[in-house]
Amino acid sequence: MHAEIITIGDEILIGQIVDTNSQWLSKKLNEIGVSVYQITSVQDDKDHILKAIAEAESNADIVILTGGLGPTKDDITKITLAEYFQDTLVRKPEIEQHIKFLFAKIKYKFTDMDMKQAMLPSTCKVLKNNLGTASGMWFEKEDKVIVSLPGVPNEMKGLIENDVIPGIRDKFHLPFIIHKTLHTYGMGESRLAERLESWENQLPSYVKLAYLPSYGKVRLRLSAKGDQLEWLQKQIEKETGALRSLVKDILVGEDLNEALEISINTLMRERNLTLSIAESCTGGNISKMITTIPGTSNFLNGALIAYNKKVKTQILGVRESTIDEFSVVSKEVAEEMAVACRDLFNSDLAVATTGNAGPTTDETDKSVGVVFIAIATQSGVYSKEFYFGKPRSKVIERASVKALELIRKEILKNPVNSL
């Protein structure tokens, strides 16, 4: 069972807004066994919309359009759909009353322009929008379903959950789709693929492996599709077990709720440890990633963005002589930052970063992309040098992920409460 999503609106194509609707909608369809075949964005142009609908109908069983349902002249989706189905717009009294009711609640005058929202194709099944004035429309053409929904996210989501998903379930016999995701860190996609090649080649046809890389980490998603849920669950668990054993040295969690920062959060609280952070080139990004997860206040004693040389020396206590001799981008400075940070915030473990994120080297002898990350514990301090390339955003993100990886490794390599 395949679906295609069409988003309508010039604002998407010119980058004025981000299309989050398609991402959310794809997830919802996948949950009920519908695979999204393609996502297309088109401008508010009749010919483009007509062409997109015709192509989507030939590709998929279900076509879902979002956007272009407002009352203004640039919103032409209803008129275009009426033409596509050789239909005409007619007044729907129940929708008119609904819109008048919504306007009365907020003391808003109902005008002739608003009346246009009650004009809908005569052959469609109207999907009443309880959160707004733009109704959804459900069309059936032979064995295909074409649905048009408003682009406002909360209105679209309400119609999908209350009307569209139940309607799809009633009309189609749907398979089951199961996903299992493993989170790995510290190994690139190509090296990981080499490690898994033999096992991956032997996967059954109904199980697929996807590599989802980002800076410093790769998510491995196993997907299985079939008609028998219990049997499918057993098969996906069997293959997940095999994959788990192949990546156990770089595995930090499973499924969407066990990213690296969640793993650290859990470990720190389980072991009753405390953490502090001193960031220079990462500019607070490590602290942001850590504090995104609830419960961080139980172990994070404090964090400092020591971006300026004076902050490093006057607040952290890094020696000026160390900076003068080795420059601010050096392992010596990173290590002094980590030790000083641990002392300042009285924590069991501290992490510090210093480096050149770019675009300039700021009077250091290290090239753009070089970052030093230091870890300080009661037993001592050490640092590692990395080269993360360009651009600036990549350096910051990769350095932050690597710092989290080092924190986790430091926790795990020591007995409980031994830091």
Side-chain angles (χ1 to χ4, degrees):
M1 186 63 57
H2 290 94
E4 185 159 331
I5 299 170
I6 301 172
T7 59
I8 300 170
D10 295 342
E11 64 274 16
I12 295 173
L13 295 172
I14 65 174
Q16 196 171 39
I17 67 169
V18 177
D19 175 25
T20 58
N21 283 350
S22 294
Q23 180 187 26
W24 182 88
L25 184 50
S26 297
K27 182 180 178 182
K28 285 295 177 182
L29 291 170
N30 193 266
E31 287 175 356
I32 63 168
V34 178
S35 300
V36 174
Y37 177 84
Q38 185 169 292
I39 298 173
T40 306
S41 294
V42 298
Q43 58 184 298
D44 294 295
D45 176 83
K46 184 183 72 173
D47 291 336
H48 285 182
I49 296 171
L50 288 171
K51 181 181 178 183
I53 296 172
E55 290 180 354
E57 186 187 343
S58 67
N59 293 334
D61 308 288
I62 302 163
V63 180
I64 299 181
L65 301 90
T66 65
L69 296 182
T72 55
K73 290 182 179 180
D74 62 320
D75 291 311
I76 61 172
T77 301
K78 282 190 299 187
I79 297 172
T80 305
L81 281 167
E83 180 176 329
Y84 187 81
F85 288 102
Q86 298 180 339
D87 197 358
T88 56
L89 300 181
V90 298
R91 175 175 163 268
K92 301 285 185 177
E94 69 277 16
I95 299 302
E96 179 183 343
Q97 289 304 117
H98 168 62
I99 297 171
K100 287 180 177 179
F101 172 75
L102 291 177
F103 282 11
K105 287 176 64 177
I106 59 173
K107 296 181 172 57
Y108 200 87
K109 184 181 179 181
F110 184 81
T111 67
D112 291 340
M113 179 71 75
D114 301 313
M115 174 67 78
K116 293 181 179 180
Q117 293 294 71
M119 301 293 291
L120 296 159
S122 66
T123 58
C124 78
K125 175 186 176 183
V126 178
L127 308 179
K128 182 181 175 183
N129 180 1
N130 292 317
L131 300 175
T133 63
S135 299
M137 295 166 281
W138 175 294
F139 299 89
E140 293 190 15
K141 185 178 179 183
E142 298 175 353
D143 59 344
K144 303 292 180 79
V145 168
I146 298 174
V147 181
S148 178
L149 302 170
V152 179
N154 68 318
E155 296 179 22
M156 180 273 296
K157 291 176 180 179
L159 288 170
I160 284 290
E161 292 180 331
N162 296 327
D163 298 280
V164 179
I165 294 296
I168 291 173
R169 287 186 186 276
D170 288 342
K171 183 170 179 62
F172 298 102
H173 172 70
L174 301 173
F176 296 100
I177 301 177
I178 299 175
H179 300 291
K180 188 72 174 179
T181 303
L182 304 187
H183 294 257
T184 68
Y185 288 80
M187 181 175 290
E189 181 184 13
S190 58
R191 286 184 59 199
L192 194 51
E194 288 178 4
R195 178 188 287 196
L196 301 179
E197 184 177 11
S198 297
W199 168 80
E200 185 179 359
N201 289 339
Q202 297 176 28
L203 284 174
S205 60
Y206 52 84
V207 178
K208 306 295 182 184
L209 174 66
Y211 295 82
L212 308 171
S214 54
Y215 296 139
K217 52 190 175 182
V218 179
R219 284 178 295 149
L220 300 170
R221 188 189 65 222
L222 278 171
S223 302
K225 186 175 182 179
D227 293 325
Q228 300 178 36
L229 179 59
E230 187 175 341
W231 178 83
L232 209 59
Q233 289 173 331
K234 289 180 180 178
Q235 299 307 308
I236 200 73
E237 188 54 45
K238 173 186 173 184
E239 298 301 342
T240 301
L243 177 58
R244 193 182 291 121
S245 66
L246 290 169
V247 297
K248 60 184 179 181
D249 58 319
I250 54 173
L251 179 65
V252 297
E254 299 185 18
D255 295 320
L256 297 179
N257 294 322
E258 294 194 29
L260 185 55
E261 46 268 46
I262 295 178
S263 177
I264 291 172
N265 188 303
T266 302
L267 288 169
M268 294 293 288
R269 290 191 290 163
E270 285 179 349
R271 301 187 177 209
N272 196 28
L273 297 172
T274 55
L275 173 70
S276 59
I277 305 168
E279 301 186 60
S280 183
C281 62
T282 47
N285 197 54
I286 300 170
S287 303
K288 177 185 175 183
M289 294 172 74
I290 286 284
T291 55
T292 298
I293 311 303
T296 305
S297 59
N298 291 308
F299 66 87
L300 182 62
N301 283 3
L304 178 69
I305 302 176
Y307 215 72
N308 186 275
K309 177 181 175 180
K310 288 183 179 179
V311 176
K312 291 182 177 71
T313 55
Q314 295 179 10
I315 297 180
L316 273 182
V318 175
R319 292 172 296 177
E320 289 195 23
S321 59
T322 303
I323 295 176
D324 291 340
E325 182 175 358
F326 301 104
S327 85
V328 290
V329 180
S330 62
K331 78 181 193 66
E332 289 80 7
V333 168
E335 290 178 4
E336 285 196 21
M337 287 174 64
V339 171
C341 180
R342 181 177 175 274
D343 292 341
L344 177 66
F345 292 109
N346 190 29
S347 62
D348 298 302
L349 184 152
V351 62
T353 64
T354 183
N356 284 325
T360 65
T361 58
D362 295 331
E363 299 180 356
T364 71
D365 61 349
K366 301 296 188 301
S367 61
V368 171
V370 171
V371 175
F372 291 90
I373 303 175
I375 298 288
T377 66
Q378 184 179 3
S379 59
V381 62
Y382 70 91
S383 63
K384 291 190 175 184
E385 179 180 355
F386 301 94
Y387 175 70
F388 295 126
K390 299 177 182 180
R392 180 181 180 86
S393 58
K394 177 183 176 182
V395 175
I396 293 172
E397 185 65 22
R398 290 190 66 184
S400 300
V401 171
K402 182 58 69 172
L404 294 183
E405 182 186 334
L406 292 178
I407 292 170
R408 184 176 182 274
K409 285 182 177 179
E410 187 63 34
I411 299 170
L412 291 175
K413 77 180 185 182
N414 290 279
V416 176
N417 294 330
S418 68
L419 291 175

mmCIF file of all heavy atoms in Angstrom, residues 128-150:
data_model
loop_
_atom_site.group_PDB
_atom_site.id
_atom_site.type_symbol
_atom_site.label_atom_id
_atom_site.label_comp_id
_atom_site.label_asym_id
_atom_site.label_seq_id
_atom_site.Cartn_x
_atom_site.Cartn_y
_atom_site.Cartn_z
ATOM 1 N N LYS A 128 -15.135 17.767 8.184
ATOM 2 C CA LYS A 128 -15.336 18.987 8.959
ATOM 3 C C LYS A 128 -14.112 19.300 9.816
ATOM 4 O O LYS A 128 -13.623 18.460 10.563
ATOM 5 C CB LYS A 128 -16.568 18.828 9.859
ATOM 6 C CG LYS A 128 -16.902 20.068 10.680
ATOM 7 C CD LYS A 128 -18.116 19.795 11.559
ATOM 8 C CE LYS A 128 -18.402 20.965 12.476
ATOM 9 N NZ LYS A 128 -19.547 20.672 13.374
ATOM 10 N N ASN A 129 -13.626 20.521 9.693
ATOM 11 C CA ASN A 129 -12.446 20.972 10.417
ATOM 12 C C ASN A 129 -12.891 21.678 11.695
ATOM 13 O O ASN A 129 -13.300 22.835 11.671
ATOM 14 C CB ASN A 129 -11.632 21.924 9.529
ATOM 15 C CG ASN A 129 -10.381 22.447 10.207
ATOM 16 O OD1 ASN A 129 -10.081 22.097 11.341
ATOM 17 N ND2 ASN A 129 -9.646 23.292 9.511
ATOM 18 N N ASN A 130 -12.824 20.999 12.814
ATOM 19 C CA ASN A 130 -13.289 21.566 14.081
ATOM 20 C C ASN A 130 -12.394 22.681 14.603
ATOM 21 O O ASN A 130 -12.783 23.414 15.520
ATOM 22 C CB ASN A 130 -13.395 20.466 15.138
ATOM 23 C CG ASN A 130 -14.510 19.479 14.831
ATOM 24 O OD1 ASN A 130 -15.604 19.869 14.446
ATOM 25 N ND2 ASN A 130 -14.216 18.197 14.987
ATOM 26 N N LEU A 131 -11.194 22.813 14.032
ATOM 27 C CA LEU A 131 -10.232 23.800 14.516
ATOM 28 C C LEU A 131 -10.073 25.001 13.594
ATOM 29 O O LEU A 131 -9.305 25.912 13.890
ATOM 30 C CB LEU A 131 -8.871 23.130 14.719
ATOM 31 C CG LEU A 131 -8.834 21.971 15.720
ATOM 32 C CD1 LEU A 131 -7.464 21.321 15.733
ATOM 33 C CD2 LEU A 131 -9.213 22.445 17.116
ATOM 34 N N GLY A 132 -10.782 25.002 12.468
ATOM 35 C CA GLY A 132 -10.625 26.097 11.522
ATOM 36 C C GLY A 132 -11.738 26.126 10.494
ATOM 37 O O GLY A 132 -12.710 25.372 10.570
ATOM 38 N N THR A 133 -11.571 26.998 9.493
ATOM 39 C CA THR A 133 -12.629 27.207 8.499
ATOM 40 C C THR A 133 -12.404 26.424 7.212
ATOM 41 O O THR A 133 -13.323 26.321 6.399
ATOM 42 C CB THR A 133 -12.713 28.702 8.148
ATOM 43 O OG1 THR A 133 -11.483 29.128 7.543
ATOM 44 C CG2 THR A 133 -12.981 29.537 9.387
ATOM 45 N N ALA A 134 -11.197 25.885 6.997
ATOM 46 C CA ALA A 134 -10.902 25.151 5.766
ATOM 47 C C ALA A 134 -11.221 23.671 5.951
ATOM 48 O O ALA A 134 -10.543 22.962 6.684
ATOM 49 C CB ALA A 134 -9.429 25.330 5.381
ATOM 50 N N SER A 135 -12.275 23.215 5.284
ATOM 51 C CA SER A 135 -12.685 21.811 5.400
ATOM 52 C C SER A 135 -11.743 20.907 4.620
ATOM 53 O O SER A 135 -11.163 21.300 3.599
ATOM 54 C CB SER A 135 -14.105 21.629 4.858
ATOM 55 O OG SER A 135 -15.029 22.406 5.576
ATOM 56 N N GLY A 136 -11.610 19.676 5.088
ATOM 57 C CA GLY A 136 -10.922 18.664 4.317
ATOM 58 C C GLY A 136 -11.873 18.059 3.286
ATOM 59 O O GLY A 136 -13.101 18.166 3.411
ATOM 60 N N MET A 137 -11.309 17.419 2.275
ATOM 61 C CA MET A 137 -12.118 16.810 1.210
ATOM 62 C C MET A 137 -11.592 15.415 0.905
ATOM 63 O O MET A 137 -10.388 15.228 0.738
ATOM 64 C CB MET A 137 -12.072 17.680 -0.047
ATOM 65 C CG MET A 137 -12.720 19.048 0.109
ATOM 66 S SD MET A 137 -12.290 20.170 -1.252
ATOM 67 C CE MET A 137 -10.636 20.693 -0.755
ATOM 68 N N TRP A 138 -12.495 14.452 0.834
ATOM 69 C CA TRP A 138 -12.155 13.055 0.545
ATOM 70 C C TRP A 138 -12.805 12.672 -0.774
ATOM 71 O O TRP A 138 -14.026 12.737 -0.922
ATOM 72 C CB TRP A 138 -12.640 12.170 1.686
ATOM 73 C CG TRP A 138 -12.479 10.691 1.504
ATOM 74 C CD1 TRP A 138 -13.109 9.890 0.584
ATOM 75 C CD2 TRP A 138 -11.629 9.816 2.272
ATOM 76 N NE1 TRP A 138 -12.714 8.586 0.725
ATOM 77 C CE2 TRP A 138 -11.813 8.508 1.754
ATOM 78 C CE3 TRP A 138 -10.767 10.003 3.337
ATOM 79 C CZ2 TRP A 138 -11.141 7.398 2.278
ATOM 80 C CZ3 TRP A 138 -10.103 8.913 3.849
ATOM 81 C CH2 TRP A 138 -10.282 7.621 3.333
ATOM 82 N N PHE A 139 -11.982 12.283 -1.757
ATOM 83 C CA PHE A 139 -12.473 11.842 -3.058
ATOM 84 C C PHE A 139 -12.099 10.383 -3.275
ATOM 85 O O PHE A 139 -11.034 9.938 -2.821
ATOM 86 C CB PHE A 139 -11.851 12.660 -4.192
ATOM 87 C CG PHE A 139 -12.136 14.137 -4.142
ATOM 88 C CD1 PHE A 139 -11.297 14.998 -3.439
ATOM 89 C CD2 PHE A 139 -13.225 14.669 -4.809
ATOM 90 C CE1 PHE A 139 -11.549 16.361 -3.407
ATOM 91 C CE2 PHE A 139 -13.481 16.040 -4.782
ATOM 92 C CZ PHE A 139 -12.636 16.888 -4.067
ATOM 93 N N GLU A 140 -12.923 9.652 -3.957
ATOM 94 C CA GLU A 140 -12.597 8.288 -4.357
ATOM 95 C C GLU A 140 -12.751 8.172 -5.867
ATOM 96 O O GLU A 140 -13.735 8.634 -6.445
ATOM 97 C CB GLU A 140 -13.491 7.274 -3.641
ATOM 98 C CG GLU A 140 -13.230 7.216 -2.151
ATOM 99 C CD GLU A 140 -13.938 6.058 -1.465
ATOM 100 O OE1 GLU A 140 -14.401 5.129 -2.179
ATOM 101 O OE2 GLU A 140 -14.038 6.064 -0.218
ATOM 102 N N LYS A 141 -11.742 7.576 -6.483
ATOM 103 C CA LYS A 141 -11.743 7.381 -7.936
ATOM 104 C C LYS A 141 -11.335 5.946 -8.204
ATOM 105 O O LYS A 141 -10.170 5.597 -8.081
ATOM 106 C CB LYS A 141 -10.780 8.365 -8.602
ATOM 107 C CG LYS A 141 -10.799 8.338 -10.118
ATOM 108 C CD LYS A 141 -9.847 9.395 -10.668
ATOM 109 C CE LYS A 141 -9.830 9.373 -12.188
ATOM 110 N NZ LYS A 141 -8.855 10.350 -12.740
ATOM 111 N N GLU A 142 -12.321 5.116 -8.513
ATOM 112 C CA GLU A 142 -12.106 3.673 -8.648
ATOM 113 C C GLU A 142 -11.538 3.151 -7.330
ATOM 114 O O GLU A 142 -12.167 3.275 -6.300
ATOM 115 C CB GLU A 142 -11.211 3.380 -9.861
ATOM 116 C CG GLU A 142 -11.840 3.827 -11.173
ATOM 117 C CD GLU A 142 -10.909 3.656 -12.353
ATOM 118 O OE1 GLU A 142 -9.735 3.314 -12.152
ATOM 119 O OE2 GLU A 142 -11.369 3.883 -13.480
ATOM 120 N N ASP A 143 -10.327 2.596 -7.344
ATOM 121 C CA ASP A 143 -9.764 2.056 -6.093
ATOM 122 C C ASP A 143 -8.759 3.009 -5.453
ATOM 123 O O ASP A 143 -7.992 2.617 -4.572
ATOM 124 C CB ASP A 143 -9.103 0.707 -6.364
ATOM 125 C CG ASP A 143 -7.999 0.809 -7.405
ATOM 126 O OD1 ASP A 143 -7.958 1.837 -8.129
ATOM 127 O OD2 ASP A 143 -7.176 -0.113 -7.510
ATOM 128 N N LYS A 144 -8.761 4.269 -5.878
ATOM 129 C CA LYS A 144 -7.822 5.251 -5.339
ATOM 130 C C LYS A 144 -8.550 6.239 -4.430
ATOM 131 O O LYS A 144 -9.751 6.507 -4.605
ATOM 132 C CB LYS A 144 -7.143 6.028 -6.479
ATOM 133 C CG LYS A 144 -6.400 5.159 -7.497
ATOM 134 C CD LYS A 144 -5.181 4.498 -6.880
ATOM 135 C CE LYS A 144 -4.435 3.621 -7.887
ATOM 136 N NZ LYS A 144 -3.588 4.386 -8.795
ATOM 137 N N VAL A 145 -7.814 6.781 -3.453
ATOM 138 C CA VAL A 145 -8.334 7.812 -2.555
ATOM 139 C C VAL A 145 -7.470 9.050 -2.684
ATOM 140 O O VAL A 145 -6.236 8.972 -2.632
ATOM 141 C CB VAL A 145 -8.339 7.315 -1.092
ATOM 142 C CG1 VAL A 145 -8.609 8.479 -0.132
ATOM 143 C CG2 VAL A 145 -9.389 6.239 -0.894
ATOM 144 N N ILE A 146 -8.117 10.195 -2.848
ATOM 145 C CA ILE A 146 -7.412 11.471 -2.916
ATOM 146 C C ILE A 146 -8.016 12.376 -1.851
ATOM 147 O O ILE A 146 -9.229 12.610 -1.824
ATOM 148 C CB ILE A 146 -7.529 12.112 -4.310
ATOM 149 C CG1 ILE A 146 -6.881 11.195 -5.354
ATOM 150 C CG2 ILE A 146 -6.869 13.493 -4.317
ATOM 151 C CD1 ILE A 146 -7.048 11.651 -6.783
ATOM 152 N N VAL A 147 -7.169 12.866 -0.957
ATOM 153 C CA VAL A 147 -7.621 13.673 0.170
ATOM 154 C C VAL A 147 -6.919 15.023 0.131
ATOM 155 O O VAL A 147 -5.713 15.102 -0.110
ATOM 156 C CB VAL A 147 -7.308 12.976 1.515
ATOM 157 C CG1 VAL A 147 -7.806 13.824 2.683
ATOM 158 C CG2 VAL A 147 -7.942 11.587 1.563
ATOM 159 N N SER A 148 -7.691 16.082 0.363
ATOM 160 C CA SER A 148 -7.124 17.426 0.431
ATOM 161 C C SER A 148 -7.354 17.979 1.828
ATOM 162 O O SER A 148 -8.475 17.934 2.354
ATOM 163 C CB SER A 148 -7.784 18.335 -0.615
ATOM 164 O OG SER A 148 -7.276 19.654 -0.521
ATOM 165 N N LEU A 149 -6.287 18.520 2.434
ATOM 166 C CA LEU A 149 -6.339 18.990 3.816
ATOM 167 C C LEU A 149 -5.739 20.381 3.933
ATOM 168 O O LEU A 149 -4.887 20.773 3.122
ATOM 169 C CB LEU A 149 -5.558 18.034 4.725
ATOM 170 C CG LEU A 149 -6.003 16.576 4.743
ATOM 171 C CD1 LEU A 149 -4.994 15.734 5.497
ATOM 172 C CD2 LEU A 149 -7.385 16.448 5.360
ATOM 173 N N PRO A 150 -6.151 21.151 4.942
ATOM 174 C CA PRO A 150 -5.532 22.465 5.158
ATOM 175 C C PRO A 150 -4.060 22.323 5.521
ATOM 176 O O PRO A 150 -3.630 21.299 6.053
ATOM 177 C CB PRO A 150 -6.344 23.050 6.317
ATOM 178 C CG PRO A 150 -6.961 21.876 6.996
ATOM 179 C CD PRO A 150 -7.199 20.854 5.930
#
